[in-house]
Amino acid sequence: MNKRKGKKTWIILVGFILLAAFVWLNNTSLFYSKETNYKIMAHRGLAQTFDISTVESDTNTAEIIYPPEHPYLENTISSMKAAFDHGADIVELDIKLTKDRQLAVFHDFTLEYRTNGKGGVKDYTMEELKKLDIGYRYTADNGVTFPFRGQGVGMMPSLDEVFAAFPNQAFLIHDKDGDMETMKVLWDNYLSKITKNQLNQITVYGDGDSEGFDFLRSNNSEMKLLTKDMMINALLKYELLGWTGYIPKELHNMELHLPLNYAKYLWGWPNKFVDRMESVNTRVVIVEGNGKWSEGFDTKVSLDKIPAGYQGYIWTNRVDRVAE
């Protein structure tokens, strides 16, 4: 009886060891190249930056910028060109619906944060928005000086102007309205009219109503999409089953914005995980910190945190610094 019990124990132990070996071999990145070759996503092009540790949900970041080191303002054609010229692979931009059902490239819920206008983007036509000075409110010294005042008139672009200026470049579009109406305009008036090659370069994300993202998915099953709820749901399923190498369908055709602090807990992180995601048309982007705000890899020192051999994308607010 003791011999049988001992044999059974031994079989269980061997089985456990074999299972552990399988899980390790199936998820280790040990055998990948250690050469790091990440790609760069530039947040709002090349923009003015600020102390992100002081930011709250209603902070006007234009009023707390660092002393300017370059002349570019976020979400403008010139800032996007500068980002691409510095080596960005993708530029992130923000969209909001105008009164005449165009999509303006602008971030804030109120025009007063950055411009000399009042109210929201939805209260104006695109032609009227072109008359505003988008550099009007920027200050690095609590309002003593305004270094960009008078320089931003006519610089708020429409989305079709962006597509025309950069027909072969990749963009991450942030839906700042978070409603079905904006998504319908985005698809009907913009995405449905660009070439297939251009559309393959477009990703859309936001935290609004899932109905809008369902609408986009119904029109194009392979477009990369991202919401916080989509990502959490997909990654929870992956954590349950990913050790086997299985990739849940919820992770297909997505973009993942992963805080570096948490990404290390994913099966196969970093290199095997990135490979798995690429095999199902999903892009992996790492961000600095815990992901609460748009914290990026903005200094040469911060780049040292990137895992060896990482082949995905990094999020940055200072492409001019990190791509040199």
Side-chain angles (χ1 to χ4, degrees):
M1 189 72 176
N2 288 337
K3 286 184 179 180
R4 274 189 201 170
K5 187 175 181 181
K7 185 177 181 180
K8 185 177 180 181
T9 301
W10 174 250
I11 291 173
I12 292 173
L13 180 59
V14 170
F16 177 80
I17 292 172
L18 290 174
L19 178 61
F22 166 78
V23 172
W24 183 81
L25 286 169
N26 201 39
N27 291 282
T28 183
S29 295
L30 182 64
F31 306 112
Y32 281 75
S33 168
K34 296 302 180 185
E35 182 180 353
T36 303
N37 188 28
Y38 55 79
K39 294 166 280 291
I40 296 174
M41 179 173 291
H43 183 214
R44 304 182 202 168
L46 180 54
Q48 300 300 314
T49 52
F50 42 85
D51 183 356
I52 203 164
S53 68
T54 66
V55 172
E56 301 293 340
S57 59
D58 59 349
T59 299
N60 179 3
T61 56
E63 291 183 341
I64 59 170
I65 62 169
Y66 293 126
E69 298 178 17
H70 60 73
Y72 301 105
L73 299 176
E74 65 176 52
N75 282 321
T76 60
I77 298 291
S78 59
S79 76
M80 296 173 200
K81 183 179 185 303
F84 285 128
D85 287 347
H86 277 289
D89 298 280
I90 303 175
V91 162
E92 187 264 6
L93 57 83
D94 305 295
I95 59 168
K96 294 185 75 68
L97 188 64
T98 68
K99 186 176 181 179
D100 56 342
R101 296 180 65 78
Q102 295 190 56
L103 292 178
V105 181
F106 189 75
H107 174 271
D108 300 327
F109 71 92
T110 175
L111 292 165
E112 293 173 69
Y113 272 13
R114 294 176 201 280
T115 82
N116 55 335
K118 295 183 179 181
V121 166
K122 66 181 180 180
D123 301 319
Y124 296 81
T125 66
M126 194 68 233
E127 183 179 359
E128 290 169 336
L129 291 168
K130 288 284 188 182
K131 298 176 183 179
L132 299 178
D133 179 3
I134 64 168
Y136 191 82
R137 300 282 183 186
Y138 283 84
T139 180
D141 52 18
N142 296 313
V144 177
T145 61
F146 295 88
F148 299 107
R149 186 166 286 186
Q151 300 178 34
V153 178
M155 290 182 66
M156 187 189 301
S158 61
L159 186 59
D160 52 356
E161 289 178 305
V162 173
F163 287 165
F166 308 101
N168 301 311
Q169 299 288 12
F171 288 97
L172 170 63
I173 298 174
H174 189 179
D175 167 34
K176 296 297 294 184
D177 288 331
D179 57 37
M180 183 66 171
E181 184 180 11
T182 298
M183 285 299 201
K184 289 201 72 171
V185 170
L186 174 61
W187 177 259
D188 293 342
N189 296 359
Y190 295 86
L191 299 185
S192 67
K193 296 182 178 181
I194 61 178
T195 68
K196 184 178 180 180
N197 287 338
Q198 278 185 297
L199 188 58
N200 288 339
Q201 300 260 56
I202 301 298
T203 302
V204 182
Y205 82 121
D207 293 318
D209 193 335
S210 63
E211 184 182 10
F213 286 87
D214 292 340
F215 170 77
L216 288 183
R217 179 66 78 215
S218 70
N219 281 282
N220 189 296
S221 61
E222 296 182 354
M223 185 188 304
K224 294 183 181 71
L225 302 176
L226 168 65
T227 70
K228 186 177 180 180
D229 288 343
M230 285 170 59
M231 185 169 71
I232 291 174
N233 178 52
L235 289 178
L236 284 175
K237 291 186 177 181
Y238 180 76
E239 284 299 89
L240 288 173
L241 300 169
W243 60 274
T244 67
Y246 173 71
I247 306 169
K249 62 180 177 60
E250 289 84 358
L251 269 175
H252 295 210
N253 305 306
M254 280 192 68
E255 176 152 312
L256 301 175
H257 292 177
L258 303 174
L260 189 58
N261 292 352
Y262 306 132
K264 60 187 175 183
Y265 298 112
L266 294 168
W267 294 109
W269 182 258
N271 304 320
K272 186 161 285 190
F273 178 81
V274 171
D275 276 359
R276 285 173 179 167
M277 295 305 103
E278 288 181 348
S279 74
V280 294
N281 192 38
T282 289
R283 179 186 295 133
V284 177
V285 184
I286 53 174
V287 300
E288 262 271 52
N290 60 16
K292 182 179 180 182
W293 303 116
S294 300
E295 192 171 354
F297 294 88
D298 297 341
T299 66
K300 289 291 188 181
V301 173
S302 69
L303 298 179
D304 294 337
K305 301 176 184 179
I306 298 172
Y310 177 68
Q311 303 286 316
Y313 289 76
I314 68 167
W315 178 280
T316 185
N317 300 290
R318 290 301 302 263
V319 62
D320 57 323
R321 289 177 177 172
V322 302
E324 292 175 350

